[in-house]
Amino acid sequence: TGIEPDFALVKFKKLAGGGYFKIINRVVPEALRTLGYAQADIDQIIDYAVGRGTLDGAPGVNHQTLKDKGFPLSTIELIEQNLGSAFDIKFVFNKWTLGEEFCVNGLGLTKEQLDDISLDILSVVGFSRAEIDAANIYCCGAMTLEGAPGLKDEHLPVFDCASPCGRLGKRFLSDSSHIRMMAAAQPFISGAISKTINMPNNASVQACKDAYMMSWRLGLKANALYRDGSKLSQPLSSSLLDDADDADEFAEALSEAPAAAKAAALTERVIERVIERIQVASRSRMPQRRKGYTQKAMVGGHKVYLRTGEYEDGRIGEIFIDMHKEGAAFRSLMNNFAIAISIGLQYGVPLEEFVEAFTFTRFEPMGIVEGNEAIKMATSILDYIFRELAVSYLGRDDLAHAEPADLMPETVGRGSLGESLPEAPGIDVANEALRRVTSTGYVRSRLTVHQGGNQQPVSAVSGNTAHALHTHEAPVGVLELGQSDSSVRLDRMREARIKGYEGDACGECGNFTLVRNGTCLKCATCGGTTGCS
């Protein structure tokens, strides 16, 4: 790696699909040989660092003590076969290696204990923490040369790495040594050095300032600092968090760590526990007869039919997407996508999550939307669908481009005597009837009843939900889509004029939030421009 010091003598790389594998520095034996150590001493030091890969002759946990605990010879042989690739002996003592039948009948463990991912079989069968640690160092190694038998203290700096090695290691290279190492090579390099300066987790802001100042004074062309543990998904680590650590020991170690280390350690620990113990939510089935609405629209010249299904309380539970004159493959993909969304809704995934995930997606067909009174532009079919659902079921007017009420005659005002008109008789009965019959998504929570010169909005039930059964008891009246108070819309119009909205649709996100910016227009929602700005 050139002038880059090793991250640690033994490293653990986190795999994308989960798990770890161990990377060992193979130059250590050569370095010990150069320092004048005999081959026997070198073998002893290497065995201490990387382990012997066996429990035969190990202190604490060995073949004899395992026999005394009831482990048969065949099981011990299985354990030995898996110890060579393990970096902790506790990872080998599980129900997959030992066999579930032996764990239940031979060791007396229950199936509930075996299903617990934090189970430590060695502790359960009677081994102490000290015995397990001693056997672990003997078998899997200490991951560091500090404390190795026969290694002289004056030779320890030769093996210092960018971070402390293993759980027992304390030594590491200072950030100034990284900088001086780069400064020695900089005069012979035309460009900057691709090299990360590693800093400990407890590094302060002042330490970072000093590192940059030293780099400038020594003539470095670039400086890249990295504080250990500053990223939750750090690809390399010099030690693994022991799942069997006692809570008291973890809390004691964490109390001495800086705030950044506490946040990273606690967050990862909580995430791992939640993922391990998460339970699958039960599915809430849709009723056999359900309410909903069908919305026909054209997106970029392509017809789209969106159909919804609601629970009895008005919550959306399923969607269907039909496309006109599309190929069989595309139509099938949209059908299966709708099924996936419906299953997610029925298992409790909030509609808000789908809206945030799929709005503003961009692909063809896209463009002007015809046939929808609230949405006039969409960047894709999915963008249109989830805008429509957000406006209808979540009241997300920020994702709509227009309101149907703006086209109603009452938009101009209710008149000077509008507020003093007497309340029409039977208005509550009409409201209740409408709540029972009308789809929540269809009315967009703005349905009003007009009777006798008076109007009253249909109030939302349990969070903008409506119930449907019968309508025969509703009095004669006029049903319209519109808000009860036009002053709210007038205020919004004044606010739009104050903000400088030009009334044109943004070519990037489709929102009507373009403002004048020089000779061009800039979108206040996504930041897109129409040209020169």
Side-chain angles (χ1 to χ4, degrees):
T1 56
I3 61 174
E4 177 81 36
D6 202 357
F7 183 80
L9 294 179
V10 180
K11 299 163 287 296
F12 298 96
K13 183 172 180 60
K14 186 178 293 187
L15 303 177
Y20 298 82
F21 76 92
K22 186 163 58 175
I23 306 173
I24 302 173
N25 191 315
R26 299 295 183 181
V27 189
V28 173
E30 187 64 28
L32 292 172
R33 193 173 296 109
T34 303
L35 291 172
Y37 287 89
Q39 188 60 44
D41 296 332
I42 294 176
D43 294 339
Q44 192 174 12
I45 294 173
I46 297 301
D47 288 342
Y48 171 83
V50 300
R52 296 166 176 82
T54 179
L55 289 177
D56 188 13
V61 182
N62 51 53
H63 292 181
Q64 186 59 45
T65 56
L66 289 174
K67 290 179 182 178
D68 297 339
K69 300 292 184 181
F71 284 77
L73 183 60
S74 58
T75 303
I76 295 177
E77 291 177 354
L78 285 175
I79 294 172
E80 284 292 322
Q81 294 174 7
N82 291 273
L83 285 175
S85 59
F87 40 80
D88 195 299
I89 61 174
K90 287 173 291 192
F91 295 167
V92 178
F93 286 83
N94 53 55
K95 65 179 181 179
W96 295 280
T97 302
L98 303 179
E100 187 171 349
E101 182 179 355
F102 168 72
C103 292
V104 174
N105 301 327
L107 301 180
L109 301 175
T110 64
K111 292 188 177 181
E112 290 75 15
Q113 287 178 300
L114 294 177
D115 292 336
D116 186 0
I117 197 169
S118 62
L119 172 66
D120 182 2
I121 293 181
L122 288 174
S123 298
V124 172
V125 298
F127 290 104
S128 65
R129 181 63 181 275
E131 291 175 331
I132 297 174
D133 289 342
N136 199 46
I137 293 176
Y138 180 90
C139 179
C140 300
M143 314 298 176
T144 180
L145 294 184
E146 299 177 46
L151 183 63
K152 299 177 182 179
D153 292 341
E154 59 267 24
H155 292 158
L156 282 175
V158 176
F159 304 98
D160 285 345
C161 297
S163 62
C165 299
R167 295 169 55 191
L168 306 178
K170 304 296 182 184
R171 300 174 57 90
F172 62 92
L173 291 172
S174 64
D175 55 283
S176 60
S177 66
H178 288 263
I179 297 173
R180 295 183 187 278
M181 203 182 308
M182 296 169 64
Q186 184 66 83
F188 305 97
I189 301 175
S190 60
I193 301 174
S194 178
K195 155 91 177 77
T196 300
I197 299 173
N198 296 84
M199 306 188 76
N201 186 267
N202 58 359
S204 62
V205 176
Q206 185 60 43
C208 297
K209 293 180 180 178
D210 295 340
Y212 280 112
M213 182 60 69
M214 176 181 287
S215 301
W216 172 72
R217 286 173 176 166
L218 294 178
L220 292 181
K221 296 184 178 181
N223 181 331
L225 295 181
Y226 178 73
R227 182 177 58 80
D228 186 38
S230 60
K231 292 192 296 185
L232 184 60
S233 58
Q234 181 170 303
L236 288 179
S237 58
S238 58
S239 63
L240 287 175
L241 180 65
D242 189 358
D243 289 337
D245 283 344
D246 294 332
D248 295 338
E249 294 182 9
F250 178 76
E252 182 179 356
L254 200 63
S255 63
E256 301 174 357
K262 293 178 182 178
L266 284 174
T267 303
E268 187 162 4
R269 199 175 179 95
V270 168
I271 289 175
E272 289 178 354
R273 292 299 180 270
V274 170
I275 292 176
E276 291 165 3
R277 289 168 172 78
I278 189 170
Q279 299 293 328
V280 179
S282 58
R283 184 175 180 179
S284 179
R285 295 286 181 176
M286 295 287 295
Q288 296 297 326
R289 185 181 181 90
R290 63 206 67 163
K291 292 184 298 179
Y293 71 93
T294 301
Q295 175 70 53
K296 175 186 174 182
M298 293 185 66
V299 179
H302 294 255
K303 289 184 181 180
V304 181
Y305 294 85
L306 172 64
R307 293 183 289 131
T308 67
E310 301 173 8
Y311 290 100
E312 294 179 353
D313 59 359
R315 292 181 296 113
I316 183 174
E318 65 181 1
I319 64 171
F320 298 92
I321 304 171
D322 294 326
M323 303 228 17
H324 182 60
K325 290 186 178 179
E326 295 295 343
F330 187 83
R331 187 164 56 247
S332 298
L333 285 175
M334 295 303 294
N335 289 339
N336 285 276
F337 174 79
I339 293 174
I341 297 298
S342 302
I343 293 175
L345 292 171
Q346 293 171 25
Y347 271 103
V349 178
L351 179 60
E352 292 90 339
E353 296 296 328
F354 291 122
V355 171
E356 294 299 327
F358 293 110
T359 51
F360 301 105
T361 53
R362 177 178 292 273
F363 57 85
E364 293 290 342
M366 58 185 292
I368 298 175
V369 177
E370 302 176 21
N372 190 297
E373 68 278 6
I375 302 169
K376 303 302 179 183
M377 184 74 65
T379 57
S380 66
I381 295 293
L382 299 187
D383 178 58
Y384 158 72
I385 289 172
F386 287 97
R387 280 177 184 265
E388 164 63 28
L389 295 177
V391 172
S392 298
Y393 288 97
L394 302 179
R396 290 285 301 273
D397 293 333
D398 57 307
L399 295 176
H401 303 123
E403 293 185 11
D406 293 337
L407 304 177
M408 294 296 176
E410 65 170 3
T411 304
V412 298
R414 300 179 59 193
S416 59
L417 301 179
E419 298 294 338
S420 60
L421 291 175
E423 182 176 348
I427 196 75
D428 293 334
V429 179
N431 287 344
E432 182 60 28
L434 289 173
R435 275 194 290 268
R436 290 198 307 269
V437 72
T438 315
S439 164
T440 303
Y442 174 74
V443 301
R444 301 188 191 278
S445 304
R446 298 184 183 90
L447 194 64
T448 58
V449 177
H450 291 254
Q451 184 178 13
N454 194 11
Q455 67 174 350
Q456 180 175 333
V458 178
S459 57
V461 180
S462 64
N464 278 350
T465 59
H467 299 275
L469 277 178
H470 305 288
T471 59
H472 60 274
E473 56 191 66
V476 179
V478 181
L479 307 181
E480 291 185 358
L481 286 171
Q483 289 184 332
S484 61
D485 193 356
S486 61
S487 62
V488 177
R489 295 189 297 276
L490 293 176
D491 292 340
R492 291 180 179 175
M493 293 169 61
R494 296 190 191 100
E495 182 182 359
R497 292 192 183 99
I498 292 173
K499 291 182 177 180
Y501 293 153
E502 294 289 330
D504 296 326
C506 173
E508 298 291 334
C509 66
N511 285 296
F512 288 80
T513 53
L514 289 176
V515 296
R516 180 64 56 183
N517 188 24
T519 58
C520 299
L521 300 176
K522 182 177 73 173
C523 181
T525 301
C526 69
T529 63
T530 59
C532 59
S533 61

